[in-house]
Amino acid sequence: MSESIENARTLHECIAIGVSAGGFRALSAILPKLPQRGRVAVLIVQHTRADAGDFLARHLDGICQAPVKHAEDKEPILPGTVYIAPPGYHMLVEQGKSLSLSVDEPEHFARPSIDALFESASDVYREKLIGIILTGAGTDGSLGLKRVKENGGLTIVQDPKTADMDFLPKSAILAVSVDYILPLDAIGGFLSKMGS
Amino acid sequence: METTTDVERIEIQLLLEAVYRRYGYDFRSYAEASITRRIHRHRNLNGYRSISDIQHVILHDREAFLRLLHDLSISVTEMFRDPPFYCSLRKCVLPKLKELPFIRIWLAGCATGEEVYSVAILFQEEGLLDRVQIYATDINESAIDKARQGIYPLEQIQEYTRNYHKAGGKSAFGEYYTARYGHAAMQAFLKQHILFSHHNLVTDGSFGEMHLIVCRNVLIYFSKELQDRVLHLFCESLIEDGFLCLGSKETLRYSTCSTQFQEWDPHERIYRKRSNAS
Ligand SMILES: C[S@@+](CC[C@H](N)C(=O)[O-])C[C@H]1O[C@@H](n2cnc3c(N)ncnc32)[C@H](O)[C@@H]1O
């Protein structure tokens, strides 16, 4: 594992994280580990109600060294920055590494959808993408993680035993032969080494 | 689910080129990620083996093209979506429009009309509806038909009613529709002030001297370049001091016409055209 973390530091450009129930706690635990001026960009889909507002983004921005914000349409993706899909919008990655939003139908009952983010991000970043699935309910994200794997990216899933809700990580593990299944604190440790 | 390879990107570009050359609908400058997802969805649902197969079929078969067109212009919308936007429209914009003898409003990309009726209700409650003409346009003909009818499933009305009250609604929402057969039909007095028509923001021209343009959750489907072109179209269509409202995560910041506007309510993405601009 340590060898591929070393590789990850130089090779990977972007981390996509998908999470639903239990996400507030999980993200609050790992994102503060990101270095202040990191090399990688982080894109997050957290399932929430459409009227959830920007509480999560503001909270995370307050406790992280890296800047955390809601994505805006056509915004360029900058290294060292954390972008969260705004509630009610899918967040997609465009060729040329910018973000676009959409209000197309929910996928697997979710908008924002993890699949939508992971699949579009994987088509752009290919082997330079790391896909991470954390705690949650539902099956959204499994197809997306599969795409990350097919395109040569690195796939990580939170160890279901350490998840508040184990359904989301379990269904990802069933669908994809993932590279690493890690407890939450190891994922935080991994992030702290990334791109510093 | 297979990867969008470079070959597939070529196929998608060729398909959109074929659609444009054969039928005049120009999706070539739409944001790639979402149009790609929609084309994949269309291919899977219709059992095409490849994207080139879609191209082959739609070139010869108008009905097949119409099915594709339908899937490319999905119209997802709600009444009083983003209630804080309507609060701001009521508080920060309508008082300025009150001074006018006649108010012309363009709702571009109005989908199935929920947003149009929301705006009409707002003007009614501020005592301005009699002076208002709303032009509601969309590229999607069947959406426009639904908008014109103004009949919506009652199940959704509950949620719309909640939105309406969060948006500062002053009456009982039930005053604006009559319920029958599980549906809500919007009242005729609202419709009197609305003109629905087909208009394509990519290929059709300016819409005239507007005091207020509302175009939310439409430009997000366009590339940055196309957004810029359409924003210039809006700028041209607005009178001096006219208002432009975008969706809550959209911005003029990346556009070359940002200097022609001032931010009126930055949080709700309401802009006002500068009086010396043009
Ligand atoms: C997501 S809906 C937004 C509806 C509404 N404005 C709202 O915010 O709820 C996007 C609408 O834009 C329309 N649209 C897409 N391309 C267009 C074009 N080139 N010209 C006009 N309308 C277009 C679609 O048909 C669809 O109805």
Side-chain angles (χ1 to χ4, degrees), chain A residues 6-106:
Chain A
E6 286 309 314
N7 286 343
R9 287 177 65 171
T10 49
L11 180 69
H12 294 91
E13 262 183 56
C14 181
I15 302 175
I17 299 178
V19 59
S20 73
F24 184 83
R25 238 161 58 132
L27 293 171
S28 302
I30 62 174
L31 289 181
K33 304 275 175 60
L34 281 168
Q36 187 169 19
R37 266 183 282 278
R39 261 193 49 252
V40 290
V42 180
L43 310 175
I44 299 176
V45 162
Q46 150 94 71
H47 293 160
T48 37
R49 292 169 48 102
D51 59 1
D54 61 356
F55 176 73
L56 177 70
R58 278 189 295 130
H59 163 75
L60 291 173
D61 191 46
I63 61 170
C64 292
Q65 295 168 266
V68 181
K69 64 188 300 292
H70 269 172
E72 278 182 39
D73 185 54
K74 300 300 173 290
E75 168 164 43
I77 300 170
L78 301 177
T81 307
V82 181
Y83 301 89
I84 302 185
Y89 290 85
H90 295 303
M91 176 170 76
L92 303 168
V93 176
E94 297 289 340
Q95 303 289 333
K97 297 173 188 167
S98 61
L99 296 169
S100 65
L101 302 177
S102 117
V103 288
D104 283 3
E105 286 98 341

Side-chain angles (χ1 to χ4, degrees), chain B:
Chain B
M1 180 73 50
E2 70 304 314
T3 287
T4 312
T5 58
D6 293 338
V7 172
E8 214 181 39
R9 289 187 69 207
I10 297 173
E11 287 183 287
I12 287 172
Q13 283 161 11
L14 290 173
L15 172 64
L16 298 180
E17 187 67 30
V19 165
Y20 178 60
R21 300 260 298 269
R22 176 81 176 82
Y23 298 102
Y25 282 90
D26 191 355
F27 291 101
R28 294 173 302 172
S29 309
Y30 276 48
E32 200 176 322
S34 55
I35 200 113
T36 297
R37 293 187 76 75
R38 286 181 177 186
I39 291 172
H40 278 156
R41 190 166 162 273
H42 181 80
R43 185 200 53 200
N44 294 341
L45 289 176
N46 291 274
Y48 291 108
R49 275 172 315 162
S50 71
I51 288 164
S52 298
D53 281 356
I54 308 178
Q55 180 192 328
H56 180 76
V57 172
I58 62 107
L59 275 174
H60 302 281
D61 181 350
R62 195 185 170 80
E63 293 296 315
F65 161 68
L66 289 174
R67 285 196 297 277
L68 173 66
L69 180 64
H70 182 263
D71 285 352
L72 290 187
S73 51
I74 306 167
S75 311
V76 183
T77 186
E78 277 168 41
M79 275 194 192
F80 293 98
R81 165 190 234 146
D82 301 323
F85 163 72
Y86 288 91
C87 292
S88 177
L89 199 58
R90 196 192 291 263
K91 267 213 310 279
C92 308
V93 175
L94 267 60
K96 297 286 163 201
L97 299 179
K98 262 192 180 119
E99 298 152 15
L100 300 165
F102 196 69
I103 306 161
R104 290 156 59 93
I105 304 171
W106 179 15
L107 262 130
C110 70
T112 41
E114 285 85 337
E115 187 182 42
V116 190
Y117 292 106
S118 311
V119 168
I121 288 169
L122 203 71
F123 278 84
Q124 162 72 12
E125 296 193 348
E126 298 304 312
L128 294 175
L129 191 62
D130 288 339
R131 284 188 259 156
V132 165
Q133 178 63 57
I134 302 179
Y135 302 88
T137 66
D138 201 280
I139 189 183
N140 182 331
E141 308 255 12
S142 65
I144 281 285
D145 281 339
K146 287 199 186 119
R148 206 173 273 129
Q149 285 166 13
I151 297 174
Y152 306 108
L154 266 182
E155 302 99 68
Q156 286 165 15
I157 294 289
Q158 253 185 7
E159 196 200 328
Y160 293 167
T161 306
R162 272 197 301 275
N163 281 354
Y164 165 75
H165 287 296
K166 277 191 215 156
K170 292 182 170 172
S171 310
F173 192 53
E175 287 180 17
Y176 300 112
Y177 63 85
T178 47
R180 51 181 184 224
Y181 310 118
H183 284 79
M186 301 314 291
Q187 295 278 18
F189 76 86
L190 294 170
K191 290 187 186 176
Q192 266 175 12
H193 300 271
I194 310 170
L195 218 80
F196 291 99
S197 63
H198 180 259
H199 181 277
N200 186 337
L201 289 166
V202 182
T203 46
D204 297 336
S206 163
F207 223 74
E209 308 256 280
M210 295 293 146
H211 301 97
L212 169 65
I213 296 178
V214 179
C215 183
R216 300 163 74 223
N217 302 309
V218 180
L219 298 184
I220 49 177
Y221 293 99
F222 297 174
S223 72
K224 219 153 92 178
E225 294 69 34
L226 182 55
Q227 285 190 353
D228 197 39
R229 236 171 68 205
V230 175
L231 286 168
H232 278 278
L233 176 74
F234 289 156
C235 191
E236 230 175 86
S237 305
L238 277 175
I239 60 146
E240 287 188 357
D241 294 326
F243 293 93
L244 171 65
C245 304
L246 303 178
S248 67
K249 300 292 166 227
E250 299 171 61
T251 169
L252 276 184
R253 196 180 312 145
Y254 307 117
S255 163
T256 52
C257 61
S258 64
T259 52
Q260 313 211 30
F261 287 90
Q262 79 179 104
E263 291 189 323
W264 192 250
D265 179 345
H267 195 255
E268 297 306 327
R269 310 300 153 107
I270 299 178
Y271 300 88
R272 190 172 199 188
K273 187 173 161 180
R274 293 181 192 279
S275 44
N276 53 354
S278 186

